[in-house]
Amino acid sequence: MPDSSRDTAEGAGWGTPEPGVYQELMPRRVEKLSWLNPKTLWPARNGVLASWFGDPTGSTRGRWVEQRLAAGAPADAVVRRDDPDDFSFMVIGDTGEGDAPQYAVVPGFLRVGQDTSFAVLASDVVYPVGDADDYGTKFYRPYKDYPAPIYAIPGNHDWYEDLQGFMREFCDAPPLAPRAAPRRFSRAWLRSLLWHTPGRPDEQRLAEARQSRSAPSQRAVQPGPYWAIDAGPVRIIGIDTGLLGTVDAEQGRWLREVSEGERPKVLITGTPLYVDAEYHPCPIEGGGTVDDIVRDPGHHYVAAIGGDIHNYQRYPVRVDGRTIQYVVAGGGGAFMHATHTIPPVTVAGVTEADFRCYPLRGDSLAFYSRLYGRRLHLRRFFTLTDAQATAVIAERLGIPPTRAQGEPAPITPRTRLVAALLGAGRRPGRASRLRLPVRKTYTQLFSPGSATYSPPFFKCFLRLDVTPGSIRLRCFSATGNRKQELDPPVEDEVIIPLR
């Protein structure tokens, strides 16, 4: 097995390794997407408008589902495949920025996934707003050589154009008819004054892009924005959490129905239920939560995998004498969300000994220190080596270093200050000497909010190998370095019993 980030710094992608071949897969001209740019933020305004003036996602989703039913989609939204009892599938989340970090995942994804039956994209297929014109470089081109079907659930960014691009490309659905004008001076009317709506797509460019995934073995038309897949001995259920991370009443009713029965189930959701040492059970309109359904012993869920957060995390939670694996899997291509800001894990009985994340907290801190050293033109002050970052994280969190090292790096006042400025977590009950606001303020102030930078990228994807008795879940890393492209390291692995 190749070294992972838990084994060596080289396994994490540090040093001066040979660049990967992913750049050869990229378009000649790459859009440099920056979340600090007003031109990016303004078209993505619908999430803010929905939180201020009411969220129309549920009603719009209902119209999409009605349209698909009228077109002949199955009423239960279940895709019934003929996979054998032993099969494998891929999961990759938050992919579509269309730049180097997304394409850096592709060589390893293709190598690991070459014999799998299908793949699932978990949230945010296309950034920034799910525009149909972006599917060519952010979906069709990167995954043109993946030989099997790709299913998807939308993320909040796919909803920024009312899901028009997503429904067209994954469900073969025509645009919805325009809504009736809302009553003047109502909240809906105020929202409509600023609401971002999709433009007319470039039909010729889209048709050309679709040709790259036109083989019969690659084709999949899914029932709608939420669905279930019966494959081998398991049922995989994908839910749509819309703009604000919630589920409407009708989808909640459907979720309860398709969750019944003894068949083992895996949930794929646009927003994770456990993330950053916090619990987010995902409310359902009208009462209850998604996690109430997952935890119900009569539903036989064994895992819940969520996108939206751009890294990997795993929480094995004991529920009524069994373990449900709650996984964050959003490291498929978008900018990296920090893991070094995660405090020591004590949630739902899960402790640091049980918790896993990628990148490791020390690597995350070293990555951010380089990013902001460059951005603020203070490289000599901000930049920490991976050894320095690992050491200061261990001190601040009161945990042993995750990666074994030779001589420990000295912890200086500068390393402590940089770690504090970049929001590194602290042991519970210990206040910051800087007397700054809570940890989340650091995260918001120093979020990367950007686009293209140099390897290691710390991206990841999942492979799940299913048998009648278990699922083997593995998280593979993608750094952008050739060594990890040729033989992607396994950053985490767990065997999930099905019975």
Side-chain angles (χ1 to χ4, degrees), residues 139-484:
F139 174 71
Y140 288 108
R141 184 180 183 120
Y143 311 117
K144 63 184 178 64
D145 293 325
Y146 179 69
I150 297 177
Y151 304 93
I153 55 167
N156 58 312
H157 288 268
D158 300 304
W159 268 102
Y160 287 158
E161 289 198 344
D162 292 334
L163 220 59
Q164 296 275 23
F166 180 96
M167 292 298 295
R168 176 181 178 131
E169 301 311 312
F170 288 101
C171 304
D172 203 17
L176 291 175
R179 287 180 179 274
R183 181 172 52 85
R184 285 174 64 84
F185 304 112
S186 64
R187 294 179 74 200
W189 179 79
L190 292 170
R191 183 180 63 225
S192 69
L193 296 178
L194 291 174
W195 195 256
H196 173 74
T197 56
R200 181 174 297 178
D202 185 329
E203 298 293 347
Q204 180 177 348
R205 191 167 78 174
L206 260 177
E208 292 172 354
R210 288 196 191 103
Q211 290 302 309
S212 62
R213 282 193 55 81
S214 59
S217 63
Q218 295 175 311
R219 184 67 175 155
V221 177
Q222 62 190 52
Y226 55 87
W227 41 259
I229 298 173
D230 284 347
V234 300
R235 171 168 283 186
I236 302 153
I237 298 174
I239 61 171
D240 169 19
T241 54
L243 280 170
L244 302 181
T246 60
V247 169
D248 64 279
E250 177 58 27
Q251 185 181 182
R253 180 197 60 77
W254 169 85
L255 178 59
R256 291 184 177 95
E257 289 181 359
V258 297
S259 297
E260 294 175 355
E262 295 186 358
R263 191 171 192 152
K265 298 172 186 72
V266 174
L267 181 72
I268 310 288
T269 169
T271 51
L273 304 181
Y274 284 89
V275 60
D276 294 348
E278 297 175 349
Y279 179 45
H280 300 274
C282 188
I284 297 174
E285 180 186 13
T289 68
V290 168
D291 200 40
D292 291 340
I293 297 172
V294 170
R295 287 170 173 258
D296 188 322
H299 293 160
H300 300 276
Y301 278 91
V302 297
I305 302 171
D308 188 53
I309 301 302
H310 307 163
N311 53 45
Y312 172 82
Q313 301 174 44
R314 180 169 65 84
Y315 302 81
V317 178
R318 295 287 293 172
V319 179
D320 298 327
R322 58 202 170 94
T323 298
I324 300 175
Q325 299 290 342
Y326 290 88
V327 176
V328 179
F335 70 84
M336 189 193 86
H337 279 130
T339 58
H340 67 266
T341 57
I342 302 173
V345 173
T346 54
V347 59
V350 179
T351 66
E352 278 293 319
D354 312 308
F355 171 69
R356 293 292 182 272
C357 70
Y358 177 79
L360 300 179
R361 290 178 173 104
D363 290 330
S364 171
L365 178 59
F367 175 94
Y368 268 65
S369 75
R370 295 181 182 209
L371 178 67
Y372 280 95
R374 182 169 61 250
R375 178 173 293 171
L376 300 176
H377 304 288
L378 293 170
R379 297 190 188 196
R380 293 186 64 184
F381 171 73
F382 262 101
T383 302
L384 303 179
T385 67
D386 64 279
Q388 289 170 330
T390 297
V392 74
I393 284 289
E395 179 189 72
R396 288 178 69 85
L397 271 63
I399 60 176
T402 308
R403 182 164 61 234
Q405 301 184 76
E407 188 69 23
I411 301 173
T412 66
R414 180 184 73 88
T415 58
R416 292 189 178 100
L417 178 59
V418 170
L421 288 172
L422 294 178
R426 293 187 67 82
R427 281 178 254 186
R430 290 189 63 182
S432 170
R433 295 179 183 176
L434 296 177
R435 301 187 181 276
L436 292 175
V438 296
R439 179 180 59 89
K440 287 187 177 180
T441 302
Y442 302 133
T443 311
Q444 293 163 1
L445 180 63
F446 286 101
S447 68
S450 79
T452 306
Y453 27 83
S454 302
F457 295 118
F458 296 113
K459 302 291 97 185
C460 58
F461 55 89
L462 307 184
R463 174 174 168 135
L464 291 88
D465 301 305
V466 181
T467 70
S470 67
I471 297 175
R472 180 191 188 194
L473 183 153
R474 284 176 289 171
C475 171
F476 292 86
S477 66
T479 65
N481 296 321
R482 183 162 176 74
K483 185 176 181 179
Q484 282 87 35

